Amino acid sequence: MILIVDDDQAIRLSIGLMLRQAGFEYMAVATEAEALEAARRDDLQLVILDMNLRLTTDGRQGVEMLRKIRILAPQTPVIMLSAWATVPLAVEGMSHGAVDFVTKPWSNRDFMARIRKTLGEAEKKHLADTPVTLDITERKTIEKALRQTDGSIAGAARLLGITRQSLYRRMEKFGIK
């Protein structure tokens, strides 16, 4: 789920429509309290955070919210968004853990490319951080043996050096059909 945080309803609707057309699930909120509550969700994949949720244009509120989100969801990437972009503001956002900075107005194609890239990099990092268990290794080895023998149980068992009965039990354990 992608979280959109912006006080401007038109921006929330615009980004939401872009995400929905691309097949992404999203939630859009307007306030800091709603954003911080949503940042606690287990299924949060990305936050798109406006730098200015009030009438100010200095980006201070966005930087403070970014710091709070990094505490609540440290593994979740954050893309900062601002109509009042400055180089120092972008640098400050990046120094506090934002992965990208997008200016308003944006090109939908470029924005979606950045979103996809960010999600892809986050997925790679998650996979790299996930330990490979013995069960995962065993399942992959069985699936590989079955592919190499075109689905032959007897052939896969021979390749693995186990009996067909042992292979059947392991396939059942892992839900391999």
Side-chain angles (χ1 to χ4, degrees), residues 19-131:
L19 291 171
R20 185 178 322 123
Q21 287 177 338
F24 291 103
E25 180 184 342
Y26 72 93
M27 169 191 265
V29 299
T31 67
E32 180 175 347
E34 292 172 315
L36 296 177
E37 183 177 327
R40 292 178 170 88
R41 291 180 56 134
D42 289 337
D43 63 342
L44 190 61
Q45 297 173 287
L46 172 67
V47 177
I48 299 172
L49 175 62
D50 185 26
M51 294 294 291
N52 299 297
L53 296 182
R54 298 188 198 118
L55 296 178
T56 63
T57 59
D58 64 0
R60 298 284 0 127
Q61 185 183 23
V63 170
E64 286 305 311
M65 280 188 52
L66 172 62
R67 294 173 79 191
K68 292 174 184 176
I69 289 169
R70 302 304 308 143
I71 291 168
L72 295 171
Q75 301 303 317
T76 304
V78 178
I79 295 176
M80 302 299 287
L81 187 65
S82 180
W84 306 96
T86 64
V87 170
L89 184 60
V91 168
E92 186 174 7
M94 301 296 253
S95 72
H96 287 290
V99 297
D100 206 344
F101 194 93
V102 175
T103 58
K104 298 176 188 175
W106 61 82
S107 152
N108 280 354
R109 184 186 342 203
D110 292 343
F111 198 1
M112 279 309 306
R114 289 171 154 190
I115 289 169
R116 284 189 174 98
K117 179 182 178 211
T118 299
L119 290 171
E121 289 172 355
E123 179 66 19
K124 284 180 190 172
K125 184 178 182 328
H126 174 73
L127 290 174
D129 291 345
T130 303

Side-chain angles (χ1 to χ4, degrees), residues 138-156:
E138 184 176 9
R139 179 189 177 99
K140 287 181 178 182
T141 302
I142 291 169
E143 289 171 339
K144 182 178 178 182
L146 288 166
R147 277 193 308 275
Q148 288 177 340
T149 60
D150 295 324
S152 167
I153 302 294

Side-chain angles (χ1 to χ4, degrees), residues 1-36:
M1 193 266 308
I2 298 174
L3 175 62
I4 304 165
V5 183
D6 200 304
D7 60 327
D8 186 333
Q9 183 178 11
I11 298 294
R12 291 191 312 269
L13 290 172
S14 178
I15 296 172
L17 178 61
M18 178 181 71
L19 291 171
R20 185 178 322 123
Q21 287 177 338
F24 291 103
E25 180 184 342
Y26 72 93
M27 169 191 265
V29 299
T31 67
E32 180 175 347
E34 292 172 315
L36 296 177

